[in-house]
mmCIF file of all heavy atoms in Angstrom:
data_model
loop_
_atom_site.group_PDB
_atom_site.id
_atom_site.type_symbol
_atom_site.label_atom_id
_atom_site.label_comp_id
_atom_site.label_asym_id
_atom_site.label_seq_id
_atom_site.Cartn_x
_atom_site.Cartn_y
_atom_site.Cartn_z
ATOM 1 N N VAL D 78 -7.425 -50.463 5.377
ATOM 2 C CA VAL D 78 -6.181 -51.127 4.993
ATOM 3 C C VAL D 78 -5.774 -52.145 6.057
ATOM 4 O O VAL D 78 -5.368 -53.278 5.742
ATOM 5 C CB VAL D 78 -5.062 -50.079 4.781
ATOM 6 C CG1 VAL D 78 -3.711 -50.779 4.642
ATOM 7 C CG2 VAL D 78 -5.346 -49.235 3.552
ATOM 8 N N ALA D 79 -5.878 -51.747 7.330
ATOM 9 C CA ALA D 79 -5.500 -52.659 8.420
ATOM 10 C C ALA D 79 -6.382 -53.899 8.416
ATOM 11 O O ALA D 79 -5.898 -55.032 8.604
ATOM 12 C CB ALA D 79 -5.603 -51.922 9.750
ATOM 13 N N ALA D 80 -7.689 -53.696 8.204
ATOM 14 C CA ALA D 80 -8.606 -54.834 8.211
ATOM 15 C C ALA D 80 -8.351 -55.763 7.045
ATOM 16 O O ALA D 80 -8.462 -57.000 7.166
ATOM 17 C CB ALA D 80 -10.043 -54.334 8.168
ATOM 18 N N VAL D 81 -7.990 -55.219 5.885
ATOM 19 C CA VAL D 81 -7.758 -56.046 4.707
ATOM 20 C C VAL D 81 -6.430 -56.787 4.808
ATOM 21 O O VAL D 81 -6.331 -57.985 4.480
ATOM 22 C CB VAL D 81 -7.802 -55.183 3.435
ATOM 23 C CG1 VAL D 81 -7.361 -55.998 2.209
ATOM 24 C CG2 VAL D 81 -9.200 -54.629 3.221
ATOM 25 N N ARG D 82 -5.384 -56.105 5.252
ATOM 26 C CA ARG D 82 -4.051 -56.701 5.256
ATOM 27 C C ARG D 82 -3.825 -57.667 6.414
ATOM 28 O O ARG D 82 -3.166 -58.675 6.270
ATOM 29 C CB ARG D 82 -3.003 -55.595 5.289
ATOM 30 C CG ARG D 82 -3.015 -54.710 4.060
ATOM 31 C CD ARG D 82 -1.779 -53.885 3.936
ATOM 32 N NE ARG D 82 -0.572 -54.717 3.841
ATOM 33 C CZ ARG D 82 0.648 -54.252 3.583
ATOM 34 N NH1 ARG D 82 0.813 -52.943 3.410
ATOM 35 N NH2 ARG D 82 1.673 -55.056 3.515
ATOM 36 N N SER D 83 -4.323 -57.316 7.597
ATOM 37 C CA SER D 83 -4.140 -58.221 8.745
ATOM 38 C C SER D 83 -5.288 -58.043 9.719
ATOM 39 O O SER D 83 -6.314 -58.699 9.610
ATOM 40 C CB SER D 83 -2.789 -57.960 9.425
ATOM 41 O OG SER D 83 -2.697 -56.602 9.857
ATOM 42 N N SER D 84 -5.111 -57.109 10.658
ATOM 43 C CA SER D 84 -6.145 -56.844 11.654
ATOM 44 C C SER D 84 -5.985 -55.424 12.167
ATOM 45 O O SER D 84 -4.867 -54.887 12.221
ATOM 46 C CB SER D 84 -6.032 -57.834 12.824
ATOM 47 O OG SER D 84 -6.891 -57.453 13.882
ATOM 48 N N VAL D 85 -7.108 -54.830 12.552
ATOM 49 C CA VAL D 85 -7.064 -53.472 13.099
ATOM 50 C C VAL D 85 -6.276 -53.448 14.399
ATOM 51 O O VAL D 85 -5.657 -52.442 14.766
ATOM 52 C CB VAL D 85 -8.503 -52.945 13.320
ATOM 53 C CG1 VAL D 85 -8.490 -51.565 13.980
ATOM 54 C CG2 VAL D 85 -9.241 -52.893 12.000
ATOM 55 N N THR D 86 -6.291 -54.568 15.122
ATOM 56 C CA THR D 86 -5.574 -54.635 16.392
ATOM 57 C C THR D 86 -4.103 -54.973 16.223
ATOM 58 O O THR D 86 -3.366 -55.071 17.204
ATOM 59 C CB THR D 86 -6.234 -55.677 17.307
ATOM 60 O OG1 THR D 86 -6.218 -56.963 16.644
ATOM 61 C CG2 THR D 86 -7.666 -55.293 17.617
ATOM 62 N N ASP D 87 -3.658 -55.153 14.973
ATOM 63 C CA ASP D 87 -2.234 -55.388 14.728
ATOM 64 C C ASP D 87 -1.439 -54.185 15.235
ATOM 65 O O ASP D 87 -1.809 -53.030 15.004
ATOM 66 C CB ASP D 87 -1.999 -55.601 13.237
ATOM 67 C CG ASP D 87 -0.520 -55.781 12.924
ATOM 68 O OD1 ASP D 87 0.016 -56.874 13.179
ATOM 69 O OD2 ASP D 87 0.074 -54.793 12.441
ATOM 70 N N LEU D 88 -0.323 -54.445 15.949
ATOM 71 C CA LEU D 88 0.420 -53.365 16.606
ATOM 72 C C LEU D 88 0.875 -52.295 15.612
ATOM 73 O O LEU D 88 0.745 -51.095 15.866
ATOM 74 C CB LEU D 88 1.629 -53.957 17.347
ATOM 75 C CG LEU D 88 2.424 -52.955 18.204
ATOM 76 C CD1 LEU D 88 1.527 -52.365 19.291
ATOM 77 C CD2 LEU D 88 3.648 -53.639 18.820
ATOM 78 N N ASN D 89 1.395 -52.711 14.473
ATOM 79 C CA ASN D 89 1.878 -51.761 13.476
ATOM 80 C C ASN D 89 0.741 -50.876 12.966
ATOM 81 O O ASN D 89 0.856 -49.644 12.919
ATOM 82 C CB ASN D 89 2.527 -52.519 12.320
ATOM 83 C CG ASN D 89 3.067 -51.562 11.257
ATOM 84 O OD1 ASN D 89 3.759 -50.604 11.562
ATOM 85 N ND2 ASN D 89 2.719 -51.829 10.001
#
Side-chain angles (χ1 to χ4, degrees):
V78 169
V81 172
R82 296 195 60 173
S83 58
S84 171
V85 176
T86 59
D87 177 77
L88 186 61
N89 181 49

